[in-house]
Amino acid sequence: MEFKTLAHKEVYEKTRDHLNSLFGEVNVKSIGSLLVLQEGSTFVYVRTMPIGEKKSVVEVFSYVVMDVPVTQELMLFLLARNLKLVLGGFALSVDEGGKGTVVLSHSILGNSMDREQLYGSVSAVARVADDIDDQIVGKFGGSTALDRLVSQERLPTAEYWE
């Protein structure tokens, strides 16, 4: 993995070490710049990104549902759910064909992050994503991360969010 700054490298290594100690090395996979864990029918991705020269952020996210038809009802559903979340928020990425990917994301300032903060973020994203993915698929269509993995026999490709 290529690091943009020393702070980026330090936060990545701290994040990796915390994840390995919290969830066990065997449960944390490294895919490029991402660290990945599975929870039920969803995958939780963790990545670090530099903020200037001296700080970095840790983003914890999950592709909740993929290939979902984008409708006003879906968008209202996600906005209403955002009001109930304590950590993170839902986002909707739409491809050229009009299909959407629902993402749940939470970010932490990495330089001051401790094990408990990372555990809380990963646990919250995993729990919410795993609870709501089947609801969204049942109500709006699309597929869960696990469904997609089984159908394509591979992990979904990570996107970079601005």
Side-chain angles (χ1 to χ4, degrees):
M1 165 151 179
E2 183 179 326
F3 299 102
K4 307 233 189 279
T5 66
L6 179 59
H8 182 210
K9 179 180 184 205
E10 289 171 350
V11 168
Y12 175 86
E13 290 172 350
K14 176 170 71 168
T15 301
R16 181 200 58 219
D17 293 347
H18 284 337
L19 288 173
N20 286 338
S21 70
L22 289 164
F23 301 102
E25 278 186 56
V26 70
N27 297 315
V28 179
K29 305 293 182 222
S30 179
I31 301 175
S33 63
L34 298 171
L35 299 164
V36 185
L37 301 101
Q38 183 178 357
E39 175 64 33
S41 59
T42 194
F43 294 91
V44 177
Y45 299 86
V46 181
R47 69 176 170 179
T48 60
M49 297 171 289
I51 301 173
E53 287 294 317
K54 297 185 180 188
K55 296 189 187 227
S56 288
V57 68
V58 176
E59 182 184 22
V60 178
F61 64 100
S62 178
Y63 295 100
V64 180
V65 175
M66 292 161 271
D67 298 321
V68 63
V70 177
T71 64
Q72 183 175 353
E73 292 77 23
L74 172 64
M75 292 185 279
L76 291 172
F77 177 86
L78 295 173
L79 283 172
R81 291 298 185 268
N82 273 343
L83 286 173
K84 296 177 182 181
L85 293 177
V86 176
L87 296 176
F90 288 105
L92 182 63
S93 173
V94 183
D95 67 19
E96 292 123 18
K99 294 286 185 170
T101 298
V102 176
V103 178
L104 177 60
S105 176
H106 179 250
S107 297
I108 308 166
L109 185 59
N111 303 71
S112 59
M113 175 192 71
D114 62 26
R115 280 174 39 109
E116 289 76 27
Q117 288 174 312
L118 183 59
Y119 179 78
S121 182
V122 170
S123 297
V125 168
R127 188 172 41 255
V128 171
D130 191 42
D131 286 346
I132 204 162
D133 60 357
D134 292 323
Q135 292 176 41
I136 294 172
V137 169
K139 192 169 185 170
F140 302 102
S143 60
T144 67
L146 187 59
D147 291 340
R148 184 137 183 208
L149 173 66
V150 169
S151 71
Q152 296 183 357
E153 297 182 19
R154 65 175 179 85
L155 289 173
T157 303
E159 288 185 33
Y160 289 90
W161 298 86
E162 298 293 326

